[in-house]
Amino acid sequence: MSETTPQPPRAPHLGGPAPHPGPPHPGPLLPAAPVPGPPAPQLTGPGFPQPVAPQATPVQQPVPVPHPPAADHATAPQPQPPTPQHLAQPSTPQPPTPQTADPQTAAEAPRTLQYRFDGPEDAPVLVIGPSLGTTWHMWDRQVPELAQHWRVFRYDLPGHGGAPAHAAPSVAELADRLIATLDGLGVQRFGYAGCSIGGAVGADLALRHPHRVASLALVASSPRFGTADEFRQRGVIVRTNGLEPMARTAPERWFTPGFAAAQPAIVEWAVQMVRTTDPGCYIAACEALAAFDIRDHLGRIGVPTLVLVGAEDQVTGPAEARTLVAGIPDARLALVPGASHLAPVEQPAAVCDLLLTHFSTAWQDAPSAAPVPPLVPGPATPAAPFAPLAEIAPAPDAPEAVGPQRENRHERGVKVRREVLGDAHVDAVNASADPFTEDFQELVTRYEWGEAWSRDGLDRRTRSCVTLTALVASGHLEGLAAHTRAALRNGLTPAEIKEVLLQTAVYCGIPAAGAAFTIAQSVIQEETTPPA
């Protein structure tokens, strides 16, 4: 970095106590890739210097990775992807071991996240978050430079990087766990940078905890990630086949073809990050992204925001980035040439320079005399809890099940119908409706989906079992394909669907069950076949 880079304002120590030091252990790290400096990123937005060109300096040395913490910190063993020994060239002292918030009982574990600190204890805190399927090590090449100016706080998503596998059903829940972790450390105000789902967490924090966020960077992020159907389909594939299909296709989603061909060691390192992720937590994160949609709330993000995206990102590309910039009042766009979805790994020097420039010049001090604003309601957490486990959970102890209020039936019914059957199915039904059938579709939406499917007495997995059985028993097999697809997305495995249909053979008859097996087999093959 150039010596003329503006420095961030020094602030009173906000980082809380440092993690308990552990004995130094050598460990795997992000392979050191001889990546040349990229072309200058394209920066737009009011007040952003033109142009800002990343320095063509050597790639930052990787940060050594410690072994998992001791068992008394309630942290699960941390599997790490292997790294070729000839690429592991640590040149800095061993960092402290990763921690979960301390003290922490087993009952409190789901409320917090696994974390680590780097940098001076008296510096302002900068929180950086990972993307789905990665660990905090995706930021290894930025940390040495960032930690010269900030107290860098990195965290792992649940079930990633050996973190405890307590699945989080929504982005808001992930943000709440992060806030709980920071609260336990005495960190009140911080800058935040996050990649992909890590960016979604940052946006949620800026919406619901605006007094906590001093500055924001959204990397490879979006106000809505693809479609809900895409992420629920991904969950079906993982539930059926494990994480290998996601690991195998990660390189084409994360890197440009040229980088993947030139850096096989880094590609293998990335693949191993996915393979060592807990499948249930991965599925829960997919569900969280399926429900995430803040397009109507962007105007309420009131902190200085950098939107950074790889020019060749095919997952959350420049179009999504421009949507963020257009909606957030104080946002600037940085387009990084020669980078895809994991721009911090593919173009580390460019991303580091952009983050340094943004957080050094757009750090908003909290007003000293102003009262803390009330929390702003953010995107709603899905009403039905997501259970990634393979067995049907017992009905929760809850008050007597009642349907929603009459005036909310249609709105609620539309939401539940889309979540269960998928947007494509509902859109097709709505497109085929005409004046003769539209009242019937309204009845179905309010009565079937806004009342029966919306009750609290049974979870959606159990309702899918009941629905499949009822369709076979009544002979209404025309609806079986849609509800087999819904059952998969509600968490049933193909083996469980097979058991349901075998049970119908006993009570509904062999011919009916045989026809149902034919329909269900076709749907299961279509839904669970991994991408080529």
Side-chain angles (χ1 to χ4, degrees):
M1 290 297 303
S2 169
E3 294 182 357
T4 61
T5 299
Q7 300 299 309
R10 290 282 175 173
H13 173 40
L14 300 176
H20 297 296
H25 295 289
L29 53 137
L30 179 60
V35 183
Q42 302 172 22
L43 303 164
T44 62
F48 208 86
Q50 296 283 341
V52 176
Q55 301 294 322
T57 55
V59 174
Q60 300 291 341
Q61 289 297 318
V63 177
V65 179
H67 280 290
D72 62 336
H73 291 291
T75 305
Q78 183 170 359
Q80 292 294 342
T83 301
Q85 292 301 312
H86 70 282
L87 292 176
Q89 302 172 355
S91 59
T92 57
Q94 296 292 341
T97 55
Q99 304 288 324
T100 51
D102 188 26
Q104 178 185 41
T105 66
E108 293 172 333
R111 295 182 55 249
T112 55
L113 298 172
Q114 180 171 281
Y115 70 92
R116 68 176 280 176
F117 273 118
D118 294 277
E121 295 186 16
D122 61 345
V125 173
L126 175 61
V127 178
I128 50 181
S131 67
L132 175 60
T134 73
T135 72
W136 62 40
H137 298 302
M138 67 165 286
W139 296 101
D140 276 353
R141 292 206 179 101
Q142 285 76 39
V143 167
E145 186 72 28
L146 296 178
Q148 294 183 32
H149 314 291
W150 291 280
R151 179 81 163 141
V152 178
F153 174 101
R154 285 185 280 175
Y155 67 90
D156 275 326
L157 298 170
H160 291 59
H166 301 296
S170 69
V171 169
E173 170 66 17
L174 288 171
D176 288 345
R177 294 188 194 181
L178 176 57
I179 286 291
T181 306
L182 295 170
D183 285 347
L185 295 165
V187 178
Q188 293 301 310
R189 192 161 173 82
F190 50 86
Y192 185 95
C195 182
S196 195
I197 192 173
V201 170
D204 183 82
L205 291 172
L207 286 168
R208 295 194 298 126
H209 302 276
H211 57 293
R212 304 289 294 270
V213 182
S215 189
L216 180 64
L218 305 178
V219 180
S221 195
S222 176
R224 186 190 187 196
F225 291 80
T227 67
D229 286 355
E230 291 171 1
F231 279 98
R232 293 196 173 105
Q233 170 75 10
R234 188 184 295 190
V236 169
I237 291 173
V238 172
R239 188 178 294 111
T240 306
N241 303 278
L243 280 165
E244 184 57 30
M246 297 299 107
R248 189 176 64 250
T249 57
E252 65 190 57
R253 295 194 306 272
W254 289 354
F255 304 122
T256 60
F259 181 88
Q263 301 294 340
I266 293 181
V267 169
E268 179 58 23
W269 166 83
V271 166
Q272 286 295 88
M273 277 196 297
V274 181
R275 287 182 177 141
T276 55
T277 298
D278 177 77
C281 289
Y282 188 99
I283 295 169
C286 289
E287 288 288 325
L289 288 173
F292 182 77
D293 187 353
I294 59 168
R295 288 174 294 179
D296 294 336
H297 305 280
L298 293 177
R300 299 203 333 262
I301 296 178
V303 298
T305 302
L306 172 68
V307 179
L308 189 155
V309 64
E312 299 181 51
D313 189 343
Q314 301 299 312
V315 180
T316 51
E320 287 83 357
R322 291 187 177 99
T323 300
L324 287 169
V325 172
I328 299 173
D330 185 10
R332 299 154 182 156
L333 174 64
L335 196 64
V336 181
S340 187
H341 193 58
L342 283 194
V345 175
E346 192 163 7
Q347 295 291 355
V351 171
C352 188
D353 283 357
L354 291 166
L355 294 179
L356 281 167
T357 300
H358 174 67
F359 288 110
S360 297
T361 59
W363 191 280
Q364 206 173 62
D365 290 327
S368 56
V372 175
L375 297 184
V376 179
T381 299
F386 174 72
L389 302 178
E391 61 269 6
I392 298 174
D397 295 330
E400 182 181 356
V402 295
Q405 296 297 319
R406 178 177 298 273
E407 60 269 20
N408 295 331
R409 288 175 184 169
H410 177 79
E411 179 182 352
R412 175 67 178 161
V414 169
K415 181 177 184 293
V416 175
R417 192 178 190 183
R418 287 186 175 277
E419 289 175 353
V420 173
L421 294 179
D423 289 334
H425 177 90
V426 176
D427 289 342
V429 170
N430 290 340
S432 65
D434 57 26
F436 183 73
T437 62
E438 62 184 5
D439 289 341
F440 174 72
Q441 289 302 325
E442 172 69 14
L443 175 67
V444 169
T445 298
R446 287 188 292 105
Y447 181 61
E448 179 181 359
W449 299 104
E451 291 192 17
W453 272 89
S454 298
R455 294 175 65 85
D456 297 326
L458 296 174
D459 61 27
R460 290 185 186 174
R461 289 165 47 82
T462 306
R463 291 190 186 278
S464 280
C465 290
V466 173
T467 302
L468 293 176
T469 303
L471 290 172
V472 176
S474 64
H476 294 308
L477 299 183
E478 67 277 3
L480 191 67
H483 278 282
T484 299
R485 188 172 288 107
L488 290 168
R489 298 185 182 192
N490 282 342
L492 289 176
T493 65
E496 290 171 327
I497 293 174
K498 178 180 72 174
E499 292 300 323
V500 171
L501 297 183
L502 284 172
Q503 193 79 359
T504 66
V506 176
Y507 293 96
C508 305
I510 297 294
F517 264 102
T518 299
I519 295 170
Q521 181 184 40
S522 176
V523 171
I524 289 171
Q525 288 178 344
E526 176 185 345
E527 290 292 308
T528 64
T529 301

